[in-house]
Amino acid sequence: MKADRILILTASIGSGHIKAAEAVAKEMQRQLPEAVLTTVDFMARDTAWLHWLMKKIYLVMLAFVPNLYDVFYKVSGGAASGSLVQSAFAAIMQPVVKRLIRRYEPTAIICTHPFPEGAVSLWKRRQHSQLPLAVVMTDYSLHQIWLYPQVDQYFMATAAMQAEMTACGFAVETLQATGIPVDSNLRSLPPKAELRQHFSLPLEQPTVLLMGGGLGLGGIQATLQALEKLPQQLTLLVIAGRNARLLNEVRAFARTSHHLVKLWGYTDKAHELMRAADLLITKPGALTISEAFVLGLPMLLHDPIPGPETENAVYATRHGAAVWLHPGEKLAPAVQELFAEGCLQAMSERALACARPEAAQKIACAITAFIQADSGQ
């Protein structure tokens, strides 16, 4: 019997979709060690030049007119208008899916972004195909752009999202509220004190991690300037990602700051730095929030991308794992209050209560069982 060939389609629009794909791929390989797993970035230039151009336009839109994206998100969330948007994107991207399926001949497809999901769904409908399609949703709220009739398995963050989809008419047996998949290594990280020693950080000094994703977004420079007003010395860990300009700005800041500032560019040490920190200041990406939940790391959230990140911030704040800094609110007093009032322990406990560290494993088990049932194994 031939080994299964599993094609995982993701999108490098932010790092969250890629991280989710990596977490699922790792667990799928454990479940099906003989399977051939291929992960494709659907928005990469070498996958499709048009998709890459669309991604670049999206990033420019976020930088200069973020409210325009908010309008798009709300318009595409309606049933009628959302279906039109979905159909347009699926039709544009369907030829690339057709090419990828012809190249890799998958026995199953997993999507962690709605763009390839829509294109595969359209291909299945046009080809009258029964090719198994599983979708891993990477938001903490339900949006029309994720919803397609040709999907065999949906995995979502919360039971509330599952209930919404059931109310929309999706079959209960196709829906599983597993949580958002995170790297299984998060559960085996060394203790905080050990990691602080490893990174040469003061053991007892309050430690704050600043992250802005792989692109170093999220107003990190402004955050540093605000934290400089605090009289108490902090240890500031900054991950600037691939943002060369931000790297240089943080280096200059560190030379004159009264805080201890440690700087990283794009790094594979992010999880260890999260473990070493007492507080995370970041934009509310769903994967970042999910990882912080697993690590019991309190969050101060700011500058969400209008739309899904706003909903992520609402979720984390409502569950007591984060404080959401709204426009006009001062960052430095918020940080001072969190450390002074002893709030962080309670926030850490609430974050852990939201954690779903086993999500990737559950998703992989469910997909494996579906594939084997579909093939009659």
Side-chain angles (χ1 to χ4, degrees), residues 224-278:
L224 288 171
Q225 295 297 336
L227 291 175
E228 189 64 19
K229 299 173 184 176
L230 293 175
Q232 179 186 18
Q233 188 181 42
L234 305 173
T235 299
L236 303 179
L237 313 177
V238 181
I239 300 178
R242 294 189 174 94
N243 191 328
R245 178 178 177 181
L246 178 60
L247 276 166
N248 291 330
E249 289 175 346
V250 176
R251 286 194 187 103
F253 172 85
R255 286 194 288 267
T256 60
S257 175
H258 74 282
H259 299 307
L260 173 62
V261 182
K262 298 276 191 175
L263 173 64
W264 288 262
Y266 192 80
T267 177
D268 60 358
K269 304 296 183 185
H271 292 159
E272 295 176 18
L273 295 171
M274 291 174 75
R275 181 65 139 182
D278 297 309

Side-chain angles (χ1 to χ4, degrees), residues 15-24 27 111-113 135-142 146 154-159 161 176-184 186-187 271 284-295 308-309 311-313 315-316 354-364:
S15 61
H17 305 288
I18 300 287
K19 283 183 170 183
E22 291 172 347
V24 171
E27 294 300 326
C111 295
T112 66
H113 191 279
V135 172
V136 179
M137 304 168 78
T138 52
D139 293 318
Y140 278 97
S141 62
L142 191 64
W146 282 102
Y154 271 111
F155 303 95
M156 65 285 305
T158 69
M161 294 171 66
Q176 292 193 47
T178 55
I180 294 175
V182 297
D183 194 323
S184 58
L186 286 173
R187 288 178 282 181
H271 292 159
L287 261 292
T288 299
I289 285 175
S290 301
E291 291 171 344
F293 286 162
V294 172
L295 294 172
E309 287 196 351
E311 298 295 336
N312 297 339
Y315 181 86
C354 295
R356 303 296 293 272
E358 74 294 340
Q361 182 180 7
K362 286 187 174 181
I363 291 168

Side-chain angles (χ1 to χ4, degrees), residues 164-179:
E164 283 186 73
M165 292 186 70
T166 302
C168 290
F170 286 83
V172 174
E173 62 270 17
T174 67
L175 311 175
Q176 292 193 47
T178 55

